[in-house]
Amino acid sequence: MTSTATPGEIAKFDALAAEWWDPNGPMAPLHAMNPLRCGWIARHLARGGDPARLGGLSLLDVGCGAGLASEGMAKLGAKVTGLDAAPAALAVARTHAAESGLEIDYREGMPEDLIAGGSRFDAVMALEVIEHVADRAAFLDALAALVKPGGMVFLSTLNRTARSFLFAKLGAEYLLRLLPRGTHDWKMFVTPAELGAEARRAGLRVTAISGMTPGGPRQGWRATPDVAVNYIVALTKD
């Protein structure tokens, strides 16, 4: 299988490991959007309609970093495996989970490593990851191979629009300094149409999509029909 990793991208995020859990640090935008991302995913996975009860569903977090989303989903009842190729970030993830009293199985490697071992999960998520991978088609093939038939794959990413260039690239990295410069390459952003077509070729179909927009200082991020910048998508494997 084609490798889905980009060494430069792995090194970039591994270098931020010590700052990952600082809500005012370089990962501040992820801290802010994490409740929305986890809640949205939980509502689509929930058994009995209660997003706080995931009933021990097995969930793989691909590109988990230091574990922001992994911990969020574990707190909602999922049985979480976190996967990343960045060893320093994983070390931070393991320490933070232990300090939080959470049991999360963190593994170093890439999706193709788990496929070779025969691992399969009820659901797979890759949040703010696909815009950093070397080969989107290969990455989606790998995610599809890791989810059980009838299971779901969740992706959040950035749309490739003029507005995303203005706000997510220039604004966030150069004007407001919300992210380190060079965090994103706008050319690697993916439109919902591109993502939907590539997902279909991997055997996945889009079942839900929502934009994600920052609210006021006390409001946090909210779901919206506007997908021009950030968006999250649910895919189902038939």
Side-chain angles (χ1 to χ4, degrees):
M1 175 174 289
T2 302
S3 174
T4 56
T6 302
E9 295 295 296
I10 295 169
K12 180 194 305 180
F13 289 99
D14 210 25
L16 297 171
E19 302 175 272
W20 210 291
W21 280 97
D22 180 359
N24 299 310
M27 295 302 174
L30 296 187
H31 281 269
M33 71 170 64
N34 202 49
L36 169 59
R37 299 186 307 179
C38 292
W40 195 89
I41 292 169
R43 284 193 296 275
H44 286 83
L45 281 178
R47 290 172 170 169
D50 183 354
R53 291 185 172 274
L54 296 184
L57 286 170
S58 61
L59 173 66
L60 174 65
D61 183 8
V62 176
C64 63
L68 290 183
S70 292
E71 289 202 11
M73 297 308 296
K75 289 175 180 177
L76 293 173
K79 182 180 179 181
V80 180
T81 298
L83 178 71
D84 206 291
L90 283 175
V92 172
R94 292 185 179 108
T95 298
H96 197 276
E99 292 172 347
S100 303
L102 296 171
E103 293 186 10
I104 299 173
D105 180 13
Y106 285 113
R107 304 186 192 183
E108 183 179 343
M110 294 178 286
E112 46 267 38
D113 299 323
L114 294 187
I115 293 169
S119 298
R120 298 294 182 272
F121 301 85
D122 296 316
V124 175
M125 64 183 188
L127 309 181
E128 277 65 52
V129 173
I130 198 167
E131 69 272 20
H132 299 285
V133 302
D135 185 329
R136 282 204 310 263
F139 185 68
L140 288 166
D141 284 340
L143 300 187
L146 285 165
V147 71
K148 298 175 183 176
M152 300 187 75
V153 174
F154 297 91
L155 304 168
S156 59
T157 189
L158 288 149
N159 200 346
R160 194 176 64 257
T161 62
R163 185 139 54 104
S164 72
F165 183 78
L166 177 63
F167 287 102
K169 182 62 182 176
L170 293 182
E173 295 184 22
Y174 291 86
L175 299 178
L176 300 177
R177 305 290 179 87
L178 297 175
L179 295 168
R181 291 186 179 184
T183 296
H184 291 115
D185 179 350
W186 180 80
K187 296 187 296 297
M188 293 179 71
F189 291 2
V190 53
T191 71
E194 290 168 341
L195 185 54
E198 291 166 359
R200 284 194 298 274
R201 287 193 285 272
L204 302 166
R205 59 183 173 86
V206 176
T207 50
I209 186 170
S210 176
M212 299 189 295
T213 302
R218 297 183 180 179
Q219 295 176 317
W221 284 59
R222 58 187 175 85
T224 170
D226 183 3
V227 299
V229 184
N230 296 85
Y231 67 97
I232 187 167
V233 60
L235 309 166
T236 298
K237 179 178 179 179
D238 293 322

